[in-house]
Amino acid sequence: MSGQGHPESADIAGLPVADFVRQMSDFQTGARREVNRMEPIARALSDEDVRLAAEYYAALAPTPFVEVIETATPPKTYVSANARHRVLSPEGGTEPMGHRIVQIPKDPSRTNIRDPKSGFTAYVPPGSIRRGEELVKTGGGVTVPCATCHGDSLTGLGDVPRLAGMQPVYLARQLISMQNGSRAGTNSALMKPAVANLSEDDVIAIAAYLGSLPPR
């Protein structure tokens, strides 16, 4: 209800009405695929249902929901089948970061009941935030500056959605999906040239930096 997503989903609080409607249309037509959840949900809704939902979420103010921390040794975690995200290993300890983002709930029990005031911690490789800032602001020679479409503060511009404060795991997944073509649709077609030359480390860095920003 709060529009605050989890790593497996999107943050939709404050999402522009036009973009919300566009994404739902892409799910309805199959231009954007997500057969287990979003496609059947979208196809069951009328245009009026979609518009009302879009207006409801657009009116919500996004709040900080993820803390991004750089480290070479994040806590040891595993993917919980029940929660559909990573949680701390009962064994404790740490493990090498490698080339990835490790995102866990601050309080798993509150996260499991969708408490909108209990957010996440995202661990990212050292140097990611600074590299991500360079890529986002200048393109770093491999992409276009994100502010060109998403606004100087990355909080959205017109019907273009915000990137600031989004879940890093979600952002990284969407960038890679746009790059390899597994996410299609209107926005993806526009984004594909911008993500074509990004390495996986670039994607991680961009997601880390954007996730570290205030959402509004």
Side-chain angles (χ1 to χ4, degrees):
M1 293 294 289
S2 69
Q4 301 284 69
H6 287 183
E8 77 278 5
S9 58
D11 292 337
I12 56 176
L15 195 68
V17 170
D19 187 62
F20 188 107
V21 171
R22 185 164 53 241
Q23 297 308 310
M24 294 297 282
S25 176
D26 283 347
F27 282 125
Q28 287 171 338
T29 63
R32 182 175 177 185
R33 306 310 308 270
E34 212 290 299
V35 297
N36 292 323
R37 292 183 179 82
M38 285 309 304
E39 286 185 52
I41 289 172
R43 289 170 181 160
L45 297 177
S46 68
D47 291 345
E48 177 67 4
D49 290 335
V50 171
R51 184 186 64 80
L52 290 173
E55 291 175 352
Y56 168 79
Y57 283 112
L60 299 180
T63 58
F65 206 53
V66 61
E67 179 185 12
V68 180
I69 298 175
E70 293 186 349
T71 180
T73 53
K76 188 177 293 186
T77 60
Y78 71 99
V79 177
S80 167
N82 293 330
R84 293 191 293 149
H85 52 242
R86 286 189 175 273
V87 294
L88 291 173
S89 169
E91 301 172 1
T94 61
E95 59 189 3
M97 169 56 76
H99 302 274
R100 58 183 179 146
I101 299 170
V102 176
Q103 192 166 330
I104 59 174
K106 291 182 178 292
D107 185 331
S109 62
R110 292 174 64 187
T111 294
N112 288 343
I113 61 171
R114 293 282 171 175
D115 184 337
K117 296 183 178 180
S118 184
F120 290 80
T121 301
Y123 297 98
V124 299
S128 294
I129 294 176
R130 182 174 179 180
R131 171 60 176 163
E133 182 177 14
E134 177 190 6
L135 288 165
V136 165
K137 290 184 174 180
T138 72
V142 295
T143 186
V144 296
C146 297
T148 303
C149 297
H150 294 270
D152 290 338
S153 63
L154 289 311
T155 53
L157 189 63
D159 66 350
V160 179
R162 72 178 169 94
L163 299 176
M166 298 287 277
Q167 303 277 346
V169 164
Y170 173 80
L171 285 170
R173 185 170 64 250
Q174 298 311 306
L175 289 172
I176 291 172
S177 295
M178 290 173 181
Q179 190 179 59
N180 64 27
S182 59
R183 173 175 169 174
T186 309
N187 287 12
S188 303
L190 295 173
M191 279 293 298
K192 194 169 181 62
V195 301
N197 297 318
L198 295 176
S199 68
E200 287 190 4
D201 285 341
D202 290 338
V203 168
I204 290 170
I206 289 171
Y209 173 67
L210 292 173
S212 74
L213 299 176
R216 61 188 176 97

